[in-house]
Amino acid sequence: MAGIEHIKVEPDEAGMRLDRWFKVHFPGLGFGQLQKLMRSGQVRVDGGRVKTDARVQPGQMVRVPPLDVDAKASKSGPIAGKELKHSGDAELLARMLLHEDDKVYVLNKPAGLAVQGGSGVSRHIDKMLEAWTSQKGEKPRLVHRLDRDTSGVLVVARTRGAAQKLTAAFRERDTKKTYWSLVKGVPRKHEDKISTWLVKEATADGDRMRIAKHGEEGADHAVSFYRVVETAAQRLAWLEMEPYTGRTHQLRVHALHIGHPIIGDPKYFEDDPNWDFPGGVQKRLHLHARHIDIPHPNGGRLRVTAPLPPHMVQTWNLLGFDEASAGEPDDE
């Protein structure tokens, strides 16, 4: 157990919510524990009692009572499945946070967590964001989507104005989204463009996208790019994929279309009696929104990279893939 600490708020922490400030400095401290410390007056800012949604300013002194040192590490790192069910909304969102400023949050969405509600969905990010409603009563807004089973970068607007600008950037395709996937087999072309028309059809297992016939009603044009980063014994390939358009399940359908479905895809991976699923690889969707480059509402560009989810880290380690092989751009 450490003694009482008084920590000075740094200039780059201006306006940060106090609960987020604690998340940065003490990632192992649970949200419930923090609330208890505040209610009892053990956490103070400049000597005064505060609430978790208070905003800190440079030069302020935060009183931190003795904390279990082990707690600093226990709650950092990837979010486990049971935590998705049992942790509080604000705590989970803080764990996902990759970037925060006055206009934008960027989250690293875990695989298995829905972005919006729907049939059979009990918990989703859109509802969870109510926990981060501002003091002005403004709830953060979604500006794009990720499939439930896809992990990675999710941009959220903090204000109405920011939402309008970010939504426009997605609509006008002034964004660059990079995904990492693991697919069955190795594409013949090292890199290529995939251009098809997609249409939605209802199946016994829910809605599914398929390649449309020429001139089929209700079809949308979909364009994706891919390149092979690394391969494993010609049985598996790590693809870097970029969707130019933003259709439902686009990358997943396009991977299937070129004969190389994404490993663990519950909708589009088709069993093959002549192909054995690799041992040690989890049967979970291996598709991760790795990087985004988008105009920032305040000007300039926002570039954020999301770490791989645990099941893909396990696979990359198993196959000996080196993340540096992708030659990624630096974040700013």
Side-chain angles (χ1 to χ4, degrees), residues 257-321:
H257 175 64
I258 63 171
H260 301 283
I262 297 174
I263 296 296
D265 191 329
K267 276 187 184 286
Y268 301 102
F269 189 92
E270 298 168 346
D271 288 331
D272 180 349
N274 299 316
W275 192 86
D276 294 326
F277 198 91
V281 174
Q282 294 185 42
K283 287 193 176 183
R284 302 185 66 186
L285 181 66
H286 282 62
L287 180 62
H288 176 68
R290 175 66 174 180
H291 185 82
I292 195 161
D293 178 338
I294 186 170
H296 193 283
N298 289 343
R301 296 192 71 87
L302 175 65
R303 299 179 179 91
V304 183
T305 299
L308 287 171
H311 70 282
M312 289 181 69
V313 170
Q314 178 185 344
T315 300
W316 260 232
N317 289 341
L318 180 73
L319 300 177
F321 289 163

Side-chain angles (χ1 to χ4, degrees), residues 8 19 121 134 173 175 199 203 211 214 227 256 286 322:
K8 188 176 182 179
D19 52 1
V121 175
S134 71
R173 297 179 186 143
T175 62
V199 68
T203 72
I211 305 299
H214 182 70
R227 72 180 180 95
L256 174 63
H286 282 62
D322 180 0

Side-chain angles (χ1 to χ4, degrees), residues 185-240:
V186 178
R188 186 172 52 82
K189 292 186 177 179
H190 185 78
E191 53 185 272
D192 202 6
K193 171 185 176 181
I194 308 167
S195 177
T196 69
W197 290 77
L198 300 181
V199 68
K200 184 183 290 186
E201 64 178 3
T203 72
D205 297 324
D207 287 342
R208 176 184 161 103
M209 304 300 291
R210 64 167 171 79
I211 305 299
K213 299 178 181 68
H214 182 70
E216 188 170 349
E217 188 177 345
D220 290 311
H221 191 212
V223 176
S224 305
F225 299 88
Y226 77 84
R227 72 180 180 95
V228 177
V229 182
E230 286 195 40
T231 64
Q234 294 301 303
R235 295 185 65 234
L236 299 163
W238 163 13
L239 302 188
E240 183 176 86

Side-chain angles (χ1 to χ4, degrees), residues 135-253:
Q135 291 173 323
K136 295 178 181 177
E138 196 165 26
K139 176 195 155 192
R141 294 168 169 82
L142 296 170
V143 293
H144 69 126
R145 315 282 180 265
L146 288 178
D147 295 344
R148 182 175 186 166
D149 293 321
T150 303
S151 57
V153 175
L154 185 70
V155 179
V156 177
R158 295 184 63 169
T159 67
R160 180 185 298 276
Q164 290 171 340
K165 290 181 180 179
L166 292 166
T167 301
F170 280 103
R171 185 176 60 246
E172 295 159 13
R173 297 179 186 143
D174 189 14
T175 62
K176 182 178 180 183
K177 291 181 287 182
T178 304
Y179 289 72
W180 283 3
S181 66
L182 183 73
V183 301
K184 172 187 171 185
V186 178
R188 186 172 52 82
K189 292 186 177 179
H190 185 78
E191 53 185 272
D192 202 6
K193 171 185 176 181
I194 308 167
S195 177
T196 69
W197 290 77
L198 300 181
V199 68
K200 184 183 290 186
E201 64 178 3
T203 72
D205 297 324
D207 287 342
R208 176 184 161 103
M209 304 300 291
R210 64 167 171 79
I211 305 299
K213 299 178 181 68
H214 182 70
E216 188 170 349
E217 188 177 345
D220 290 311
H221 191 212
V223 176
S224 305
F225 299 88
Y226 77 84
R227 72 180 180 95
V228 177
V229 182
E230 286 195 40
T231 64
Q234 294 301 303
R235 295 185 65 234
L236 299 163
W238 163 13
L239 302 188
E240 183 176 86
M241 307 183 78
E242 289 181 18
Y244 177 69
T245 52
R247 310 305 180 199
T248 302
H249 299 173
Q250 176 176 318
L251 296 179
R252 298 162 65 180
V253 181

Side-chain angles (χ1 to χ4, degrees), residues 4 55 60 92 203 214 292:
I4 293 172
R55 307 238 169 219
Q60 288 184 322
L92 268 184
T203 72
H214 182 70
I292 195 161

